[in-house]
Amino acid sequence: MTPFKAKLRAGSPLLGTFLQIPAADVAEIVGKAGFDCGIIDCEHGMMGTDGALLLLRAAEGAGLTTILRVPGVDPHRITQALDFGASAVMVPNIQSRQKAEKAVAAAKYHPGGNRGVCPFARGANYDSANDAEYYLRSNAETAVIVQIEGKEGIANLHEILSVPSIDCIFIGPFDLAQSLGIPGQVTSPQVVEAMRDIVKRAGQKGIAVGSFSVTPEQAQRDIDIGIQFLAYGTDTMIIARQFRAIRHAIVRPAASR
Ligand code: 3PY
Ligand code: MG
């Protein structure tokens, strides 16, 4: 399975979705539907660590590249995500250079950081103790995605972008809209302008940008403004919308009495 970083480097737009339901079947369904990647969401939703591991295994079997979103800038959770075997870690709400550095340090072995070492973890192929290349290979292959989703992160974007080993900036339009004082208004000109600015500034540093969309029109607009990594909805959203659409589409006669 191609790691997220390699897919990103290939340059074409990537399609993913957030996986919040701790059922292996969903990861398989998404993989077999031909999506590029699944973001196992341990920030929101109902995903515990056991569920995350289950999904990682199922996703791999279905050819779906995995990203694990941790709940925050927690070095233990970041290390654990990579030890589990996720090919990328996504860290929410990065507001400063220090937080970005902390995230990267937890994801990279020396000399790129101080990631906790266990050469017997799943992500280390269960035994890399005698593999001298393991540390460098892992540093080179695993991706770090940091989320910019607030005014503070935008204000400090220049410094955040200068932290080595950040592979992708992921915009969180819902948190961003809230931070701009317009919660829920993810397609408002203010949010879109902020997104354009992030894409432009990250592009100047050669860093790819991803974002979250909840309608095909929004996803198309994201492509138009230069978003390379499209995360379309969550599994919960897609299932809920389909069930509701079917309920509305089937016209049932009213009861006769
Ligand atoms: C947001 O919109 O805030 C996100 O983090 C998307 O997952
Ligand atoms: Mg968010």
Side-chain angles (χ1 to χ4, degrees), residues 3-53:
F4 178 73
K5 201 162 166 173
K7 285 192 171 175
L8 205 58
R9 256 200 235 110
S12 47
L14 298 179
L15 182 61
T17 189
F18 280 91
L19 301 170
Q20 295 189 332
I21 302 173
D25 312 61
V26 184
E28 279 185 340
I29 291 166
V30 173
K32 290 184 189 293
F35 274 50
D36 298 296
C37 40
I39 308 149
I40 299 171
D41 193 0
C42 293
E43 182 196 12
H44 293 295
M46 45 207 135
M47 192 70 67
T49 45
D50 288 353
L53 198 48

Side-chain angles (χ1 to χ4, degrees), residues 147-219:
Q147 281 199 256
I148 297 293
E149 45 185 355
K151 282 197 282 195
E152 213 177 325
I154 291 177
N156 293 323
L157 185 61
H158 181 72
E159 292 193 351
I160 292 168
L161 287 169
S162 68
V163 174
S165 298
I166 290 177
D167 301 287
C168 180
I169 296 287
F170 190 88
I171 301 167
F174 280 91
D175 279 307
L176 181 56
Q178 170 169 264
S179 169
L180 295 173
I182 45 172
Q185 296 178 41
V186 291
T187 56
S188 75
Q190 250 178 295
V191 172
V192 177
E193 233 2 86
M195 290 174 66
R196 280 188 201 281
D197 180 51
I198 293 169
V199 170
K200 185 170 147 217
R201 290 160 70 192
Q204 285 162 354
K205 293 268 187 186
I207 297 177
V209 180
S211 190
F212 178 62
S213 51
V214 296
T215 64
E217 296 74 28
Q218 202 188 343

Side-chain angles (χ1 to χ4, degrees), residues 80-97:
Q80 186 185 52
L82 298 174
D83 280 357
F84 275 13
S87 86
V89 68
M90 181 185 285
V91 189
N93 203 15
I94 292 295
Q95 297 157 324
S96 63
R97 184 188 166 92

Side-chain angles (χ1 to χ4, degrees), residues 99-134:
K99 289 215 164 134
E101 281 173 342
K102 193 172 170 187
V104 168
K108 301 289 173 183
Y109 294 119
H110 178 83
N114 54 18
R115 175 177 163 186
V117 180
C118 176
F120 309 109
R122 182 170 187 273
N125 204 21
Y126 294 113
D127 186 2
S128 293
N130 295 318
D131 181 353
E133 300 296 308
Y134 165 67

